[in-house]
Coordinates of all heavy atoms in Angstrom, one line a residue:
D1 N 119.4 98.1 89.0 CA 118.7 97.3 88.0 C 117.2 97.4 88.2 O 116.7 96.9 89.2 CB 119.2 95.9 88.2 CG 118.5 94.9 87.3 OD1 117.9 95.3 86.3 OD2 118.5 93.7 87.7
P2 N 116.5 98.0 87.3 CA 115.1 98.2 87.5 C 114.3 96.8 87.5 O 113.4 96.7 88.3 CB 114.6 98.9 86.2 CG 115.9 99.3 85.5 CD 117.0 98.6 86.1
N3 N 114.8 95.8 86.8 CA 114.1 94.5 86.9 C 114.3 93.9 88.3 O 113.4 93.2 88.8 CB 114.6 93.6 85.8 CG 114.1 94.1 84.4 OD1 113.1 94.7 84.3 ND2 115.0 93.8 83.4
G4 N 115.4 94.0 88.8 CA 115.7 93.4 90.1 C 114.9 94.1 91.2 O 114.3 93.5 92.1
F5 N 114.7 95.4 91.0 CA 113.9 96.2 92.0 C 112.4 95.7 91.9 O 111.8 95.5 92.9 CB 114.0 97.7 91.7 CG 113.2 98.6 92.6 CD1 113.6 98.7 93.9 CD2 112.0 99.1 92.2 CE1 112.9 99.5 94.8 CE2 111.3 99.9 93.0 CZ 111.7 100.1 94.3
T6 N 111.9 95.5 90.7 CA 110.5 95.1 90.5 C 110.4 93.7 91.0 O 109.4 93.4 91.7 CB 110.2 95.1 89.0 OG1 110.3 96.4 88.5 CG2 108.8 94.6 88.7
F7 N 111.4 92.8 90.8 CA 111.3 91.5 91.4 C 111.2 91.5 92.9 O 110.4 90.8 93.5 CB 112.5 90.7 90.9 CG 112.6 89.3 91.5 CD1 111.7 88.3 91.0 CD2 113.4 89.0 92.6 CE1 111.8 87.0 91.6 CE2 113.4 87.7 93.2 CZ 112.6 86.7 92.7
M8 N 112.0 92.3 93.5 CA 112.0 92.4 95.0 C 110.7 93.0 95.5 O 110.2 92.6 96.5 CB 113.2 93.2 95.5 CG 114.5 92.5 95.4 SD 114.4 90.8 96.2 CE 114.2 91.2 97.9
Q9 N 110.1 94.0 94.7 CA 108.8 94.5 95.1 C 107.8 93.4 95.1 O 106.9 93.3 96.0 CB 108.4 95.6 94.2 CG 109.1 96.9 94.4 CD 108.6 98.0 93.5 OE1 108.5 97.8 92.3 NE2 108.3 99.2 94.0
M10 N 107.8 92.6 94.0 CA 106.9 91.4 93.9 C 107.1 90.5 95.1 O 106.1 90.0 95.7 CB 107.0 90.7 92.6 CG 106.5 91.5 91.4 SD 106.7 90.7 89.8 CE 106.8 88.9 90.2
F11 N 108.3 90.2 95.4 CA 108.7 89.3 96.5 C 108.1 89.8 97.8 O 107.4 89.0 98.5 CB 110.2 89.1 96.6 CG 110.6 88.4 97.8 CD1 110.6 87.0 97.9 CD2 111.1 89.1 98.9 CE1 111.0 86.3 99.0 CE2 111.5 88.4 100.1 CZ 111.4 87.1 100.1
L12 N 108.3 91.0 98.1 CA 107.8 91.6 99.4 C 106.3 91.7 99.4 O 105.7 91.4 100.4 CB 108.4 93.0 99.6 CG 109.9 93.0 99.9 CD1 110.4 94.4 99.9 CD2 110.2 92.3 101.2
S13 N 105.7 92.0 98.2 CA 104.2 92.0 98.2 C 103.6 90.6 98.4 O 102.7 90.5 99.2 CB 103.8 92.5 96.8 OG 102.4 92.4 96.6
E14 N 104.3 89.6 97.9 CA 103.8 88.2 98.1 C 104.0 87.8 99.5 O 103.1 87.1 100.1 CB 104.5 87.2 97.2 CG 104.1 87.4 95.7 CD 104.9 86.6 94.7 OE1 105.9 85.9 95.2 OE2 104.6 86.6 93.5
C15 N 105.1 88.2 100.1 CA 105.3 87.9 101.6 C 104.2 88.6 102.4 O 103.7 88.0 103.3 CB 106.7 88.4 102.0 SG 108.0 87.3 101.4
E16 N 103.9 89.8 102.1 CA 102.9 90.6 102.9 C 101.5 89.9 102.7 O 100.8 89.8 103.7 CB 102.9 92.0 102.5 CG 104.1 92.8 102.9 CD 104.2 94.2 102.4 OE1 103.4 94.6 101.6 OE2 105.2 94.9 102.7
E17 N 101.2 89.4 101.5 CA 100.0 88.7 101.3 C 99.9 87.4 102.1 O 98.9 87.1 102.7 CB 99.8 88.3 99.8 CG 99.5 89.5 98.9 CD 99.5 89.1 97.4 OE1 99.2 87.9 97.1 OE2 99.7 90.0 96.6
D18 N 101.0 86.7 102.2 CA 101.1 85.5 103.0 C 100.9 85.8 104.5 O 100.2 85.1 105.2 CB 102.4 84.8 102.8 CG 102.4 83.9 101.5 OD1 101.4 83.8 100.9 OD2 103.5 83.4 101.2
V19 N 101.5 86.9 104.9 CA 101.3 87.3 106.4 C 99.8 87.6 106.6 O 99.3 87.1 107.7 CB 102.2 88.5 106.7 CG1 101.8 89.1 108.0 CG2 103.7 88.1 106.7
S20 N 99.2 88.2 105.7 CA 97.8 88.5 105.9 C 96.9 87.2 105.9 O 96.0 87.1 106.7 CB 97.2 89.4 104.8 OG 97.8 90.7 104.9
K21 N 97.3 86.3 105.0 CA 96.6 85.0 105.0 C 96.8 84.3 106.2 O 95.9 83.7 106.8 CB 97.0 84.2 103.8 CG 96.5 84.7 102.4 CD 97.1 83.9 101.3 CE 96.8 84.5 100.0 NZ 97.4 83.8 98.9
L22 N 98.1 84.2 106.7 CA 98.4 83.5 107.9 C 97.6 84.0 109.1 O 97.2 83.2 109.9 CB 99.9 83.6 108.2 CG 100.8 82.7 107.3 CD1 102.3 83.1 107.4 CD2 100.6 81.2 107.7
A23 N 97.5 85.3 109.2 CA 96.8 85.9 110.3 C 95.3 85.4 110.4 O 94.8 85.4 111.5 CB 96.9 87.4 110.2
T24 N 94.8 85.1 109.2 CA 93.4 84.6 109.2 C 93.2 83.1 109.4 O 92.0 82.7 109.6 CB 92.7 85.1 107.9 OG1 93.3 84.4 106.8 CG2 92.8 86.6 107.7
V25 N 94.2 82.4 109.3 CA 94.1 80.9 109.4 C 94.9 80.3 110.6 O 95.1 79.1 110.6 CB 94.5 80.2 108.1 CG1 93.7 80.7 106.9 CG2 96.0 80.4 107.8
L26 N 95.2 81.0 111.6 CA 96.0 80.5 112.7 C 95.4 79.4 113.4 O 96.1 78.6 114.0 CB 96.4 81.6 113.6 CG 97.4 82.6 113.1 CD1 97.7 83.8 114.1 CD2 98.7 82.0 112.7
S27 N 94.1 79.3 113.3 CA 93.4 78.1 114.0 C 93.4 76.9 113.1 O 92.8 75.9 113.5 CB 92.0 78.5 114.4 OG 91.2 78.9 113.2
N28 N 94.0 77.0 111.9 CA 94.0 75.8 111.0 C 95.5 75.5 110.7 O 96.1 76.0 109.8 CB 93.3 76.2 109.7 CG 93.2 75.1 108.7 OD1 94.0 74.1 108.8 ND2 92.3 75.2 107.8
P29 N 96.0 74.6 111.5 CA 97.5 74.2 111.4 C 97.8 73.8 109.9 O 98.9 74.1 109.5 CB 97.7 73.1 112.4 CG 96.6 73.3 113.4 CD 95.4 73.8 112.6
L30 N 96.9 73.0 109.3 CA 97.2 72.6 107.9 C 97.4 73.7 107.0 O 98.3 73.8 106.1 CB 96.1 71.6 107.4 CG 96.4 70.9 106.1 CD1 97.7 70.1 106.1 CD2 95.2 70.0 105.7
A31 N 96.5 74.7 107.1 CA 96.6 75.9 106.2 C 97.9 76.7 106.5 O 98.5 77.2 105.6 CB 95.4 76.8 106.4
V32 N 98.2 76.8 107.8 CA 99.4 77.6 108.2 C 100.6 76.9 107.6 O 101.5 77.5 107.0 CB 99.5 77.6 109.7 CG1 100.9 78.2 110.1 CG2 98.4 78.5 110.3
S33 N 100.7 75.5 107.7 CA 101.8 74.8 107.2 C 101.9 74.9 105.7 O 103.0 75.1 105.1 CB 101.6 73.3 107.6 OG 102.8 72.6 107.1
S34 N 100.8 74.9 105.0 CA 100.8 75.1 103.5 C 101.3 76.4 103.1 O 102.1 76.5 102.2 CB 99.4 74.9 103.0 OG 99.3 75.1 101.6
I35 N 100.9 77.5 103.8 CA 101.3 78.8 103.4 C 102.8 79.0 103.8 O 103.6 79.6 103.0 CB 100.5 79.9 104.2 CG1 99.0 79.9 103.6 CG2 101.1 81.3 104.0 CD1 98.0 80.7 104.5
C36 N 103.2 78.4 104.9 CA 104.6 78.4 105.3 C 105.5 77.7 104.2 O 106.6 78.1 103.9 CB 104.8 77.8 106.6 SG 104.3 78.9 108.0
H37 N 105.0 76.6 103.7 CA 105.7 75.8 102.7 C 106.0 76.7 101.5 O 107.2 76.8 101.0 CB 105.0 74.6 102.3 CG 105.6 73.8 101.2 ND1 106.7 72.9 101.5 CD2 105.4 73.7 99.9 CE1 107.1 72.4 100.4 NE2 106.3 72.8 99.4
R38 N 105.0 77.5 101.0 CA 105.2 78.4 99.9 C 106.2 79.5 100.3 O 107.1 79.9 99.5 CB 103.8 78.9 99.5 CG 103.9 79.9 98.3 CD 102.5 80.3 97.8 NE 101.8 81.0 98.9 CZ 100.6 80.6 99.4 NH1 100.1 79.5 98.9 NH2 100.0 81.3 100.3
W39 N 106.0 80.0 101.5 CA 106.9 81.1 102.0 C 108.4 80.6 102.0 O 109.3 81.3 101.5 CB 106.5 81.5 103.4 CG 107.3 82.4 104.2 CD1 108.5 82.1 104.8 CD2 107.0 83.8 104.4 NE1 109.0 83.2 105.4 CE2 108.1 84.3 105.2 CE3 106.0 84.6 104.1 CZ2 108.1 85.6 105.7 CZ3 106.0 85.9 104.6 CH2 107.1 86.4 105.3
I40 N 108.6 79.4 102.5 CA 110.0 78.9 102.6 C 110.6 78.8 101.3 O 111.8 79.2 101.1 CB 109.9 77.5 103.4 CG1 109.5 77.7 104.8 CG2 111.3 76.8 103.3 CD1 109.1 76.5 105.5
G41 N 109.9 78.2 100.3 CA 110.4 78.1 99.0 C 110.7 79.4 98.3 O 111.8 79.6 97.7
R42 N 109.8 80.4 98.5 CA 110.0 81.7 97.9 C 111.3 82.3 98.5 O 112.1 82.9 97.7 CB 108.8 82.6 98.1 CG 109.0 83.9 97.5 CD 107.8 84.9 97.8 NE 106.5 84.3 97.6 CZ 105.6 84.1 98.6 NH1 105.8 84.5 99.8 NH2 104.4 83.6 98.3
C43 N 111.4 82.2 99.8 CA 112.6 82.9 100.4 C 113.9 82.2 100.1 O 114.9 82.8 99.9 CB 112.3 82.9 101.9 SG 111.0 84.0 102.5
A44 N 113.8 80.8 99.9 CA 115.0 80.1 99.6 C 115.5 80.5 98.2 O 116.7 80.5 97.9 CB 114.7 78.6 99.7
Q45 N 114.6 80.7 97.3 CA 114.9 81.1 95.9 C 115.7 82.4 95.8 O 116.5 82.5 94.9 CB 113.7 81.2 95.0 CG 113.1 79.9 94.7 CD 111.9 80.0 93.8 OE1 111.1 81.0 93.9 NE2 111.7 79.1 92.9
V46 N 115.4 83.3 96.7 CA 116.1 84.6 96.6 C 117.2 84.7 97.7 O 117.8 85.8 97.9 CB 115.1 85.8 96.7 CG1 114.2 85.7 95.4 CG2 114.3 85.8 97.9
G47 N 117.4 83.7 98.5 CA 118.5 83.8 99.5 C 118.1 84.6 100.7 O 119.1 85.1 101.4
M48 N 116.9 84.7 101.1 CA 116.5 85.4 102.3 C 116.4 84.5 103.4 O 115.4 84.0 103.9 CB 115.1 86.1 102.0 CG 115.1 87.0 100.9 SD 116.1 88.5 101.1 CE 115.2 89.5 102.1
V49 N 117.6 84.2 104.0 CA 117.8 83.1 105.0 C 117.0 83.4 106.3 O 116.3 82.5 106.8 CB 119.3 82.9 105.3 CG1 119.5 81.9 106.4 CG2 120.0 82.6 104.1
G50 N 117.0 84.6 106.7 CA 116.2 84.9 108.0 C 114.8 84.7 107.8 O 114.1 84.2 108.7
L51 N 114.2 85.2 106.7 CA 112.8 85.0 106.4 C 112.5 83.5 106.2 O 111.4 83.0 106.7 CB 112.4 85.8 105.2 CG 112.3 87.3 105.3 CD1 112.1 87.9 103.9 CD2 111.2 87.6 106.3
E52 N 113.3 82.8 105.6 CA 113.1 81.4 105.4 C 113.1 80.6 106.7 O 112.2 79.8 107.0 CB 114.3 80.8 104.5 CG 114.1 79.3 104.2 CD 115.3 78.7 103.5 OE1 116.2 79.5 103.0 OE2 115.4 77.5 103.4
Q53 N 114.1 80.9 107.6 CA 114.1 80.3 108.9 C 112.9 80.6 109.7 O 112.4 79.8 110.4 CB 115.4 80.7 109.6 CG 116.6 80.1 109.0 CD 117.9 80.6 109.6 OE1 117.9 81.6 110.3 NE2 119.0 79.8 109.4
A54 N 112.4 81.9 109.6 CA 111.2 82.3 110.4 C 110.0 81.5 109.9 O 109.2 81.0 110.7 CB 111.0 83.8 110.2
G55 N 109.9 81.2 108.6 CA 108.8 80.4 108.0 C 108.9 79.0 108.5 O 107.9 78.4 108.8
R56 N 110.1 78.5 108.5 CA 110.3 77.1 109.0 C 109.9 76.9 110.4 O 109.3 75.9 110.8 CB 111.8 76.7 108.8 CG 112.2 76.4 107.4 CD 113.6 75.8 107.3 NE 114.1 75.8 105.9 CZ 113.7 74.9 105.0 NH1 112.8 73.9 105.4 NH2 114.1 74.9 103.8
Q57 N 110.2 77.9 111.2 CA 109.9 77.9 112.6 C 108.4 77.9 112.8 O 107.8 77.1 113.6 CB 110.5 79.1 113.4 CG 110.3 79.0 114.9 CD 111.0 77.9 115.5 OE1 112.1 77.5 115.1 NE2 110.5 77.3 116.5
L58 N 107.7 78.8 112.1 CA 106.2 78.8 112.2 C 105.6 77.5 111.7 O 104.7 77.0 112.3 CB 105.7 80.0 111.4 CG 104.1 80.2 111.4 CD1 103.6 80.3 112.8 CD2 103.7 81.4 110.6
Q59 N 106.1 77.0 110.6 CA 105.6 75.7 110.1 C 105.8 74.6 111.1 O 105.0 73.7 111.3 CB 106.3 75.3 108.8 CG 105.8 74.1 108.1 CD 106.5 73.8 106.8 OE1 107.7 73.8 106.8 NE2 105.7 73.5 105.8
K60 N 107.0 74.6 111.8 CA 107.3 73.6 112.8 C 106.3 73.7 114.0 O 105.7 72.7 114.4 CB 108.7 73.8 113.3 CG 109.1 72.9 114.4 CD 110.5 73.2 114.9 CE 110.9 72.4 116.1 NZ 112.2 72.8 116.6
F61 N 106.0 74.9 114.4 CA 105.0 75.1 115.4 C 103.6 74.6 115.0 O 102.9 74.0 115.8 CB 104.9 76.6 115.8 CG 106.1 77.1 116.6 CD1 106.3 78.5 116.7 CD2 106.9 76.3 117.3 CE1 107.4 79.0 117.4 CE2 108.0 76.8 118.1 CZ 108.2 78.1 118.1
A62 N 103.2 74.9 113.8 CA 101.9 74.5 113.3 C 101.8 73.0 113.3 O 100.8 72.4 113.6 CB 101.7 75.1 111.9
K63 N 102.9 72.3 112.8 CA 102.9 70.8 112.8 C 102.9 70.2 114.1 O 102.6 69.0 114.3 CB 104.0 70.4 111.9 CG 103.8 70.6 110.4 CD 105.0 70.1 109.6 CE 104.7 70.2 108.1 NZ 105.8 69.6 107.3
S64 N 103.4 70.9 115.1 CA 103.6 70.3 116.5 C 102.4 70.5 117.4 O 102.4 70.2 118.5 CB 104.9 70.9 117.1 OG 104.7 72.2 117.5
G65 N 101.3 71.2 116.8 CA 100.1 71.3 117.6 C 100.1 72.6 118.5 O 99.4 72.6 119.5
S66 N 100.9 73.6 118.2 CA 100.9 74.8 118.9 C 99.5 75.5 118.9 O 98.7 75.3 117.9 CB 101.9 75.8 118.4 OG 103.2 75.3 118.6
T67 N 99.2 76.2 119.9 CA 97.9 76.9 119.9 C 97.9 78.1 119.0 O 99.0 78.6 118.6 CB 97.6 77.5 121.4 OG1 98.6 78.5 121.6 CG2 97.7 76.4 122.4
P68 N 96.7 78.6 118.6 CA 96.7 79.8 117.7 C 97.4 81.0 118.3 O 98.1 81.8 117.6 CB 95.2 80.1 117.6 CG 94.5 78.8 117.7 CD 95.4 78.0 118.7
E69 N 97.4 81.1 119.7 CA 98.1 82.2 120.3 C 99.6 82.1 120.1 O 100.3 83.0 119.9 CB 97.8 82.3 121.8 CG 96.3 82.7 122.1 CD 95.3 81.5 121.9 OE1 95.7 80.3 121.8 OE2 94.1 81.9 121.7
E70 N 100.1 80.8 120.3 CA 101.5 80.6 120.1 C 101.9 80.8 118.6 O 103.0 81.4 118.3 CB 101.9 79.1 120.5 CG 101.8 78.9 122.0 CD 101.8 77.4 122.3 OE1 101.3 76.6 121.6 OE2 102.4 77.1 123.4
L71 N 101.1 80.4 117.7 CA 101.3 80.7 116.3 C 101.3 82.2 116.0 O 102.1 82.6 115.2 CB 100.3 80.0 115.4 CG 100.3 78.4 115.5 CD1 99.2 77.9 114.6 CD2 101.7 77.9 115.0
Q72 N 100.5 82.9 116.7 CA 100.4 84.4 116.5 C 101.7 85.0 116.9 O 102.3 85.9 116.2 CB 99.3 85.0 117.3 CG 99.2 86.5 117.2 CD 98.9 87.1 115.8 OE1 98.2 86.5 115.1 NE2 99.6 88.1 115.5
Q73 N 102.3 84.5 118.0 CA 103.6 85.0 118.5 C 104.7 84.7 117.5 O 105.5 85.6 117.2 CB 103.9 84.5 119.8 CG 103.1 85.0 120.9 CD 103.4 84.4 122.3 OE1 104.1 83.3 122.4 NE2 103.0 85.0 123.4
A74 N 104.7 83.5 116.9 CA 105.7 83.2 115.9 C 105.5 84.0 114.6 O 106.5 84.4 114.0 CB 105.6 81.7 115.6
L75 N 104.2 84.3 114.3 CA 104.0 85.1 113.1 C 104.5 86.5 113.3 O 105.1 87.1 112.4 CB 102.5 85.1 112.8 CG 102.0 86.0 111.6 CD1 102.7 85.5 110.3 CD2 100.5 85.9 111.5
M76 N 104.3 87.0 114.5 CA 104.9 88.4 114.8 C 106.4 88.4 114.6 O 106.9 89.4 114.1 CB 104.4 88.8 116.2 CG 103.0 89.1 116.3 SD 102.4 89.5 118.0 CE 103.6 90.7 118.5
L77 N 107.1 87.4 115.1 CA 108.5 87.3 114.9 C 108.9 87.2 113.4 O 109.8 87.8 113.0 CB 109.1 86.1 115.7 CG 109.0 86.2 117.2 CD1 109.5 84.9 117.8 CD2 109.9 87.3 117.7
M78 N 108.0 86.5 112.7 CA 108.3 86.3 111.3 C 108.2 87.7 110.6 O 109.0 88.0 109.7 CB 107.2 85.4 110.7 CG 107.5 84.8 109.4 SD 106.3 83.5 109.2 CE 106.0 83.5 107.5
T79 N 107.2 88.5 110.9 CA 107.0 89.8 110.3 C 108.1 90.8 110.6 O 108.3 91.7 109.8 CB 105.6 90.4 110.6 OG1 105.5 90.6 112.0 CG2 104.5 89.5 110.1
E80 N 108.8 90.6 111.7 CA 109.9 91.5 112.1 C 110.9 91.5 111.0 O 111.6 92.5 110.8 CB 110.5 91.1 113.4 CG 109.6 91.5 114.6 CD 110.2 91.1 115.9 OE1 111.3 90.6 115.9 OE2 109.5 91.3 116.9
H81 N 111.1 90.3 110.3 CA 112.1 90.2 109.3 C 111.7 91.0 108.0 O 112.6 91.2 107.2 CB 112.3 88.8 108.9 CG 113.0 88.0 110.0 ND1 114.4 88.0 110.2 CD2 112.5 87.2 111.0 CE1 114.7 87.3 111.2 NE2 113.6 86.7 111.7
L82 N 110.4 91.4 107.9 CA 110.0 92.1 106.7 C 110.2 93.6 106.9 O 110.2 94.3 105.9 CB 108.5 91.9 106.4 CG 108.1 90.5 105.9 CD1 106.6 90.3 105.8 CD2 108.8 90.3 104.5
D83 N 110.4 94.1 108.1 CA 110.5 95.5 108.3 C 111.9 96.0 107.9 O 112.8 95.4 107.8 CB 110.2 95.8 109.8 CG 108.8 95.6 110.1 OD1 107.9 95.7 109.2 OD2 108.5 95.4 111.3

């Protein structure tokens, strides 16, 4: 299905954009949480459970006061699901 392929390309492109944004705002937990919220919703809509859970984990770390270094480690785990 060509439309489904295009949709998935858009989905992956948006995820990659979010990863890039996250990498630049790791010292701002509110921004990390906001981007994760969008990520979680997007992943839930298409049934990408592993990506959704990774976003929830990063959001949880951001809300719990984790350091930027800890958030970076969680972001790295999150990106593994994109490969």
